[in-house]
Amino acid sequence: MHAPSSTRRWEIDAVRGLMLVLMTLTHLPTRLTMPLGQPFGYVSAAEGFVLLSACMAGLVYGRQALRKGVPAMRRAFWRRAVTIYACQAALLLFLFTVIAFIGLKVDQPAVTMLMSFYLDKPLEALVGGLLLVYEPPLLDILPLYILFMLASPWLMTFALRHGWAPVMAASILLWLLAQFGLSEWLYGHFIDAIPLSVPFSETGAFNMWAWQFLWIMGLWMGASRNDPQAPPFAFPRWSLWVAGAVALVCLVWRHAVGQVPFPQGSGLNPLFDKWLLAPLRLIDLFALTVLAIRFGPALLARLPRLHWLETLGSASLAVFCAHLVVVLLALGLLGADYERPWPQDLALLAACFGTLYAVARITLWLDRPDDDPPPPAARGLSAPR
């Protein structure tokens, strides 16, 4: 289910690989978790990964719509959504069986707290999880992808015919409503219509109605590159100075103060809220995006290509799922210990990233394009006479 090599952008794959590395370092319980969380300011790897994934989807599937037609694009989106759903279902079953057994066997609070709703109501949790209603911690981002992939063909079809302006306007409106409780309001009406009692707190940390803005912005950025007449993204000089100032302030602020920008209990912290994609967080993300678009190509041209990052990014879905498996096993077997001796942490990190790289290489080998099919006789068919 990977895009053909001719449609891939190695630089996007490399940055997605970097985002996967940062997410793994954030989720894996080691001494590096806190210092490497949000390393570029008050923006996490999740924002960058979602934006880049949407950009790649817009680029690849938009090109498919132009070359093969809208129906082909829709089928490709839906096939990808089914693949991601299968991954989510497999991860849920892994969590509910292997990790639950380990957590209960060793009485591991890091696991039992993570899946407390399942342990209390296993049947409702299983059904709710398969319906993408119940989303345990760490397993709450793939449901976003599934829903976004299902909605994307309709959004892109509309945008291809009527332009992106109305789509972006509706997306901004939904993001704004999300800041004022849209998700809670919709949940209150939705949960009454299904025979499940999943609490709102168990429906995932990521606010879908806020994060859809990031996805749609990425779709537009990627799809717009398929127009040969499209001008390159350009920014006036003053905006680069503003973006640089914002990025620098947030970078210094984050590493001087910590991942929480204001004292605990301050009413200003919600302005940087990750799960709502709050306004100040979005400003920091915009600043970093502007700088990356303007200066990234020149920087990449001067740096050696890190092929191992490209490999991770090219097999992003498999690597993301594998990183969750490794993290859940680490939490179940070792607990949420962030003060282990350095040799143990280094061994854990080496085992983790070795596993992720092996998964990426195997995935790409299995999904490699069959450019040189074997002759008919080799496929068990008679050669034509």
Side-chain angles (χ1 to χ4, degrees):
M1 292 302 294
H2 300 286
S5 58
S6 60
T7 63
R8 298 210 70 92
R9 296 284 297 273
W10 70 266
E11 64 273 23
I12 295 180
D13 281 336
V15 180
R16 282 207 298 179
L18 175 62
M19 297 300 107
L20 285 165
V21 169
L22 292 175
M23 279 193 283
T24 303
L25 291 172
T26 300
H27 294 154
L28 200 66
T30 70
R31 290 174 177 266
L32 297 178
T33 298
M34 293 305 294
L36 291 183
Q38 303 189 137
F40 304 118
Y42 290 107
V43 173
S44 72
E47 288 95 320
F49 190 74
V50 170
L51 183 63
L52 288 167
S53 297
C55 184
M56 183 66 86
L59 180 70
V60 173
Y61 296 121
R63 185 175 302 169
Q64 200 162 36
L66 294 174
R67 292 180 176 178
K68 299 181 180 180
V70 169
M73 177 194 69
R74 288 176 180 165
R75 289 192 296 270
F77 265 119
W78 292 338
R79 284 195 299 268
R80 187 64 170 171
V82 169
T83 300
I84 300 173
Y85 180 83
C87 293
Q88 175 70 3
L91 288 169
L92 282 171
L93 294 177
F94 177 74
L95 175 67
F96 294 162
T97 54
V98 176
I99 300 303
F101 174 80
I102 293 173
L104 293 174
K105 190 72 174 178
V106 302
D107 190 23
Q108 184 55 260
V111 169
T112 54
M113 291 177 63
L114 180 143
M115 53 193 310
S116 58
F117 179 72
Y118 168 74
L119 296 175
D120 185 41
K121 297 181 177 180
L123 182 59
E124 287 198 28
L126 176 60
V127 175
L130 294 176
L131 292 176
L132 307 182
V133 178
Y134 170 50
E135 300 173 12
L138 297 178
L139 272 67
D140 53 356
I141 193 167
L142 287 185
L144 283 185
Y145 272 76
I146 296 167
L147 296 173
F148 292 163
M149 293 296 284
L150 289 173
S152 291
W154 307 106
L155 295 170
M156 287 191 59
T157 300
F158 182 92
L160 289 172
R161 293 173 179 170
H162 306 285
W164 282 95
V167 176
M168 292 302 302
S171 178
I172 293 171
L173 177 60
L174 286 174
W175 173 85
L176 185 61
L177 292 174
Q179 308 304 308
F180 295 96
L182 175 64
S183 293
E184 293 86 341
W185 183 82
L186 290 174
Y187 170 83
H189 289 75
F190 169 77
I191 201 65
D192 293 335
I194 61 175
L196 291 174
S197 58
V198 180
F200 182 76
S201 59
E202 300 289 348
T203 59
F206 291 90
N207 188 301
M208 180 182 69
W209 302 105
W211 280 70
Q212 55 76 32
F213 171 62
L214 203 55
W215 180 266
I216 291 176
M217 186 172 72
L219 276 184
W220 162 70
M221 291 173 64
S224 66
R225 299 305 90 195
N226 287 317
D227 182 359
Q229 305 301 320
F233 292 120
F235 308 96
R237 184 178 296 273
W238 66 265
S239 67
L240 296 175
W241 283 105
V242 171
V246 169
L248 180 61
V249 168
C250 289
L251 176 66
V252 173
W253 189 357
R254 179 264 177 265
H255 289 284
V257 174
Q259 295 198 51
V260 180
F262 299 102
Q264 293 287 351
S266 171
L268 296 177
N269 280 321
L271 295 174
F272 280 101
D273 188 81
K274 173 181 178 177
W275 315 117
L276 271 175
L277 204 62
L280 294 185
R281 191 177 200 85
L282 206 53
I283 290 173
D284 192 8
L285 177 62
F286 284 158
L288 291 171
T289 302
V290 167
L291 295 176
I293 292 174
R294 174 59 181 85
F295 300 108
L299 179 62
L300 289 172
R302 289 168 171 77
L303 293 176
R305 284 181 64 172
L306 300 177
H307 293 282
W308 65 276
L309 280 181
E310 295 175 40
T311 300
L312 294 179
S314 298
S316 57
L317 178 58
V319 172
F320 180 82
C321 294
H323 113 273
L324 288 179
V325 170
V326 173
V327 168
L328 289 171
L329 285 172
L331 289 173
L333 295 171
L334 303 175
D337 184 359
Y338 299 94
E339 297 182 357
R340 277 187 299 268
W342 273 110
Q344 294 182 22
D345 275 355
L346 293 175
L348 177 60
L349 289 166
C352 175
F353 285 109
T355 299
L356 298 189
Y357 185 73
V359 167
R361 291 300 300 266
I362 292 170
T363 300
L364 294 177
W365 180 77
L366 292 173
D367 289 355
R368 69 193 187 283
D370 191 8
D371 294 329
D372 298 308
R379 298 197 298 266
L381 301 173
S382 299
R385 298 180 183 273

